[in-house]
Amino acid sequence: MESNAASAAQPIPLDEPETSRSYLREPAGLGSWLWTLDHKRIALLYMFAVVAAFAIGGLFALIIRTSLLTPLNQAEKGGNVYNQLFTLHGTVMIFLFIIPGLPGIFGNFVLPLMVGAKDLAFPRINLLSFYLYLLGSILAVTSIAFGGVDTGWTFYTPYSTSTAAGGVVWMVVGAFIIGMSSILTGVNFIATIHMLRPPSMTWFRMPLFLWGIYATSIIQVLATPILGITLLLLAVERSFGIGIFDSRLGGDPVLFQHFFWFYSHPAVYIMILPAMGVMSELISVFSRRHIFGYKFVAYSSVAIALIGFLVWGHHMFTSGQSPLVSMIFSLLTFAVAIPSAVKTFNWLATLYKGSIVLHTPMCYALSFIFLFGIGGLTGLFLGTLAVDQHLHDTYFVVAHFHYVMMGGAVFATLGAFYYWWPKMFGRMYDEFWGRIGCFLVFCGFNLTFFPQFMLGTKGVPRRTYNYLPEFRFYHVESTIGSYVLAIGLFIAAGVLLVSLFRGRRAPPNPWGASTLEWQCPSPPPTDNFDKQPVAGEPYDYNGLVYDKETGGYVLPQRGEGEKGRGGETA
């Protein structure tokens, strides 16, 4: 099986003509892209916008790390600029990249294909969601021209209502509009999964990526309105001087923290649940084994979504809340780690005795398990009341957050790109350089953020542009790592871009996967399928046949008599 899987990356010759029915080719014209209702084209529009946001946020990060090479940073010159840089970095990366990234790109592209549908349930709402995201992103970035934002991405009051930086309202209104886009996307995904699945796809025949998207959508619909209302109240208070959060006007700044984190901690799972769904696909396909404990992994996605609403208070252990409340939130913080651990151990059990093939997507999947494990375990320290008193607002929090978010969501996004790229564009990439890019990204990431754990344990505060000289070694390490990381990301992106011009044609199923999206051509036609496909077990690899002519795999034909829904409920 390993030799067959390894040869799956050998696509058919470049000179074979690409099908004219490809969604990339028809209909033609710029207007057909700007006003498209095709979920695949909307996914590509998201891709261009989200990758641009990632590039902008990454540029801000490099500037920040470069400025921290020296311990004395000339406060009279760079203090406020530094505050604006890390605020923009955080806001762009979270609201413009990580939260909309996986759902916007791969949720849009893959979800209808995975359920065998022609499109999402509400195509026009899907297009509206993209343009709301684009409008909100433009407003958020435009805040630079109106004096910038120096509040941090959390916009804590009363500073955000009183700072001289003039771009606060622009930024929060932009985030408010992006939140509206997120809600509409969540509603669309939920409706699609409920209404457009084929009769043969029961709840427990759904690929685990769909379970991740489904749980994510629940959070988007239920939690995002809280953030929207909170940011709207902040903009109203700053603009009209109405006392809501500012204690000088009769407001309560701690109330803002409760509102903000009631959304923003579930938002962590908006970022990570789709990534976990991607990991389930990659680990199963590239180890050639049925996912271990399928139902446990599926239910754990829903459990994470539900428990995630109950743990926001662990961000506020030092805010003065009662010891009893802090103890309850600490207990719930440990509880939410359980379903994440269920996923991790089930992935490891799937790998055990599997026929593992180290294609580039699998390299990112294995990196994800290692990095997310570190991020999850270090979160236990922050969930412990006594330890958090020392580590709160230090570089330890920065390192933990990046190991979870970048080590989790970003590595999963890169793995998803390399996994579904042949399906999206019909071209294969260079595996050697893909692995080199993954190796550099992995090494650069660890070199950047692991030293920050050391800084945090020594009590070095985050969000400061000056530090004592004895801590320079760690900052120099971190800055060097950031440049290695940037080089790795450039290589990773370059490998995919070069494949568009020099890559060989991709077969319909280059990896030997058994989910429905691999049963249509690469790239798919506009209508996805000529007839509704029949769903079988999503991780059943028995009967896969390698086709030397196409360089891909062929699934056995599934009969129309496959088991239907049969009244099964979630």
Side-chain angles (χ1 to χ4, degrees), residues 95-223:
F95 292 112
L96 276 64
F97 169 63
I98 296 184
I99 289 179
L102 278 169
I105 301 171
F106 298 103
N108 267 306
F109 194 98
V110 177
L111 189 154
L113 293 172
M114 273 191 167
V115 299
K118 294 184 180 295
D119 211 308
L120 290 173
F122 307 114
R124 287 179 173 80
I125 290 180
N126 193 25
L127 182 63
L128 174 62
S129 298
F130 168 72
Y131 280 112
L132 286 175
Y133 163 76
L134 191 62
L135 174 61
S137 301
I138 292 172
L139 289 176
V141 176
T142 303
S143 65
I144 300 173
F146 292 90
V149 184
D150 60 357
T151 63
W153 73 273
T154 55
F155 310 116
Y156 272 4
T157 58
Y159 184 70
S160 58
T161 59
S162 58
T163 177
V168 174
V169 172
W170 289 87
M171 180 67 80
V172 298
V173 170
F176 173 81
I177 294 174
I178 293 172
M180 294 174 60
S181 168
S182 184
I183 294 170
L184 294 178
T185 298
V187 170
N188 214 344
F189 288 170
I190 290 173
T192 301
I193 291 173
H194 273 276
M195 304 304 296
L196 298 186
R197 286 180 294 120
S200 56
M201 184 179 286
T202 64
W203 280 97
F204 294 114
R205 280 189 174 180
M206 286 202 317
L208 288 167
F209 178 71
L210 296 186
W211 278 98
I213 289 291
Y214 186 78
T216 300
S217 300
I218 292 172
I219 302 173
Q220 287 176 307
V221 172
L222 296 181

Side-chain angles (χ1 to χ4, degrees), residues 257-388:
Q257 293 188 40
H258 280 291
F259 284 166
F260 182 85
W261 288 115
F262 186 79
Y263 162 78
S264 292
H265 193 83
V268 170
Y269 303 115
I270 293 177
M271 307 175 208
I272 204 66
L273 278 170
M276 290 174 166
V278 171
M279 287 304 104
S280 296
E281 302 301 319
L282 301 188
I283 289 169
S284 177
V285 168
F286 293 106
S287 62
R288 284 295 182 272
R289 289 197 67 198
H290 191 286
I291 199 78
F292 184 87
Y294 170 93
K295 289 188 177 181
F296 284 96
V297 178
Y299 280 135
S300 66
S301 295
V302 179
I304 289 172
L306 297 179
I307 302 175
F309 280 98
L310 306 176
V311 298
W312 78 92
H314 70 215
H315 294 275
M316 302 171 59
F317 284 159
T318 61
S319 67
Q321 63 188 9
S322 74
L324 177 61
V325 169
S326 293
M327 288 175 60
I328 293 171
F329 279 124
S330 178
L331 177 64
L332 290 169
T333 300
F334 285 99
V336 79
I338 295 173
S340 297
V342 167
K343 288 183 180 293
T344 303
F345 286 120
N346 282 2
W347 292 331
L348 294 175
T350 304
L351 291 170
Y352 180 64
K353 292 187 177 180
S355 181
I356 297 174
V357 185
L358 291 178
H359 286 316
T360 305
M362 187 58 160
C363 293
Y364 281 107
L366 297 177
S367 300
F368 173 98
I369 293 177
F370 179 82
L371 299 175
F372 184 73
I374 293 176
L377 290 172
T378 52
L380 300 179
F381 294 100
L382 297 174
T384 305
L385 290 173
V387 180
D388 184 72

